[in-house]
Amino acid sequence: MSDFLTEMAETSLLRARSAREGARVTGLQSRAASRPPPSPLALAPEGFDVIAEAKLASPSEGRITEGGEERVAELAAEYVSGGAAAISILTEESRFLGSLDHLAAVAAGTSVPVMRKDFLVDTIQVLEARAAGASGVLLIARLLPGELLVEMTDLTLDLGMFALIEIFDRSDLETAVRVFDREVLVGVNCRDLASLEVDFGRLGELAPHLPDHLPAVAESGLTEPIHAAEVAASGYRMALIGSSLASAEKPGQELAAYLASGRNRLERS
């Protein structure tokens, strides 16, 4: 790891240590266990779905949309109307202006599953997500070497949530294979989180190497609906789309256009 990803891992570790102070672990375990069951992630029979991301900012683009928690909730409502299979909520504060409070507010207001997107490095952060109402979490393989990826994946599934396992390259794929015997989603991020550079072609290059029995998710780099058709043609079952939706004048309609593009491509296959 280097650069941006290292920075995020270090700040995430500090947040995890803070969360472990005092008796907070026991409290989180209790809150997570007492929550109503997570909303299930249901994939549409049309063969292509979108996880729509409500975000205020990103390191590569700066401010994407104005506002705070209310704006995140507005975006989430638009995404529900547009047909999102799930809603991704950034909870990283320093570079994405996110918050667990944003996640809790959205999860309380919708039956669509909500995913915590962050740079998680500790099991306590999975408990935080469930306690806040999350139905899923993003787990970045490059941040979770060895048994830690297995441990965090198993905890996520034990809590009834879905896990999106994110990779960037073949090396990450070798790490992630440890959990491919579980029911997880496999995401390929074409934005290298070390350099923040986007290589859309990476989605096509890695597609043949992904496990056939698990839904594949194309992440980042989708900036117009035609891109949904392209990744669907490469075998991706879903796409995680953020900035282009959050910055759209009519996010729900834009999301619907992505879905139509991906599904129409599959109908022609």
Side-chain angles (χ1 to χ4, degrees), residues 16 43 56 67-68 97 135 147 166 192-193 214-215 218 223 232 255:
L43 303 187
L56 300 176
L97 305 182
S135 294
E147 291 303 312
E166 179 175 284
D192 189 321
L193 289 183
L214 296 175
T223 59
L255 170 57

Side-chain angles (χ1 to χ4, degrees), residues 34-104:
S34 64
R35 296 281 313 189
S39 299
L41 178 65
L43 303 187
E46 292 89 341
F48 187 79
D49 284 291
V50 169
I51 300 174
E53 190 160 274
K55 62 199 297 186
L56 300 176
S58 75
S60 59
E61 300 181 56
R63 261 285 183 177
I64 295 170
T65 184
E66 294 302 320
E69 183 176 311
E70 290 185 0
R71 179 54 180 161
V72 172
E74 289 172 358
L75 285 170
E78 287 273 358
Y79 296 159
V80 172
S81 70
I87 300 168
S88 172
I89 302 293
L90 265 298
T91 60
E92 199 286 323
E93 300 176 6
S94 65
R95 303 295 293 274
F96 292 88
L97 305 182
S99 168
L100 274 169
D101 291 339
H102 296 173
L103 187 152

Side-chain angles (χ1 to χ4, degrees), residues 90-176:
L90 265 298
T91 60
E92 199 286 323
E93 300 176 6
S94 65
R95 303 295 293 274
F96 292 88
L97 305 182
S99 168
L100 274 169
D101 291 339
H102 296 173
L103 187 152
V106 172
T110 181
S111 61
V112 172
V114 178
M115 181 183 80
R116 180 182 189 181
K117 186 176 179 183
D118 206 323
F119 301 84
L120 307 185
V121 294
D122 191 298
T123 54
I124 197 168
Q125 295 169 312
V126 176
L127 291 173
E128 284 181 326
R130 179 79 278 268
S135 294
V137 296
L138 175 80
L139 300 176
I140 301 174
R142 192 171 296 183
L143 291 182
L144 305 171
E147 291 303 312
L148 184 55
L149 176 61
V150 174
E151 183 180 6
M152 292 182 68
T153 301
D154 285 346
L155 175 59
T156 299
L157 300 180
D158 288 345
L159 290 169
M161 297 190 290
F162 69 86
L164 172 55
I165 311 300
E166 179 175 284
I167 67 170
F168 299 101
D169 55 25
R170 294 286 295 276
S171 177
D172 292 341
L173 189 59
E174 292 176 3
T175 298

